[in-house]
């Protein structure tokens, strides 16, 4: 798998070949013709790999699905492009989608 965006908090996981182990946070931008790949296949693979947080950003529907790994399973919350969303793996990081120049 090659995520659209991946955040790795432990620099020891980074090598010349990429990330060894699971990234802490992955963000996927849904492709119109292949949405089930992000919503089903990648979600399950990332959960099994130990990704702590997984966001699916769907530009066509202006939705963001935030999956947070808790007790060996993902908990999910749904947001829109009009929301300010907390990154669960950080104490004080929020992304305010209203401040981004997104076409909806």
């Amino acid at each position: 798998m090659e995520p659209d965006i991946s955040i790795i908090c432990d620099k020891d996981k980074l090598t010349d070949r990429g990330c060894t182990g699971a990234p802490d946070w992955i963000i996927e931008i849904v492709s119109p013709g292949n949405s089930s790949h992000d919503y089903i296949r990648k979600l399950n693979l990332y959960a099994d790999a130990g990704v702590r947080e997984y966001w699916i950003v769907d530009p066509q529907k202006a939705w963001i699905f935030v999956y947070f790994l808790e007790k060996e399973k993902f908990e999910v919350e749904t947001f829109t492009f009009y929301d300010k969303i907390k990154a669960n793996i950080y104490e004080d990081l929020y992304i305010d989608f209203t401040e981004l120049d997104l076409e909806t």
Side-chain angles (χ1 to χ4, degrees):
M1 292 288 143
E2 190 169 325
D4 293 322
I5 301 170
S6 60
I7 291 84
I8 298 100
C9 297
D10 181 359
K11 68 179 179 177
D12 292 333
K13 287 184 179 182
L14 297 174
T15 68
D16 293 340
R17 303 188 74 193
C19 181
T20 58
D24 295 283
W25 180 12
I26 290 176
I27 301 169
E28 292 285 358
I29 312 301
V30 174
S31 301
N34 202 13
S35 62
S36 67
H37 192 66
D38 294 322
Y39 284 104
I40 299 167
R41 184 165 184 258
K42 287 184 179 181
L43 172 61
N44 289 317
L45 288 171
Y46 294 152
D48 290 343
V51 172
R52 296 170 57 202
E53 188 156 354
Y54 176 49
W55 289 21
I56 301 173
V57 179
D58 190 327
Q60 287 189 309
K61 296 179 181 173
W63 290 342
I64 302 99
F65 294 90
V66 174
Y67 294 87
F68 184 58
L69 185 60
E70 289 253 345
K71 299 177 186 170
E72 303 302 321
K73 67 177 183 173
F74 275 113
E75 299 293 331
V76 65
E77 291 185 78
T78 306
F79 299 93
T80 71
F81 284 7
Y82 302 102
D83 292 318
K84 182 177 182 179
I85 305 172
K86 183 181 185 310
N88 293 295
I89 65 169
Y90 296 107
E91 289 288 321
D92 59 355
L93 177 63
Y94 292 82
I95 297 176
D96 189 346
F97 277 77
T98 62
E99 292 184 6
L100 304 175
D101 188 21
L102 301 173
E103 298 288 324
T104 57

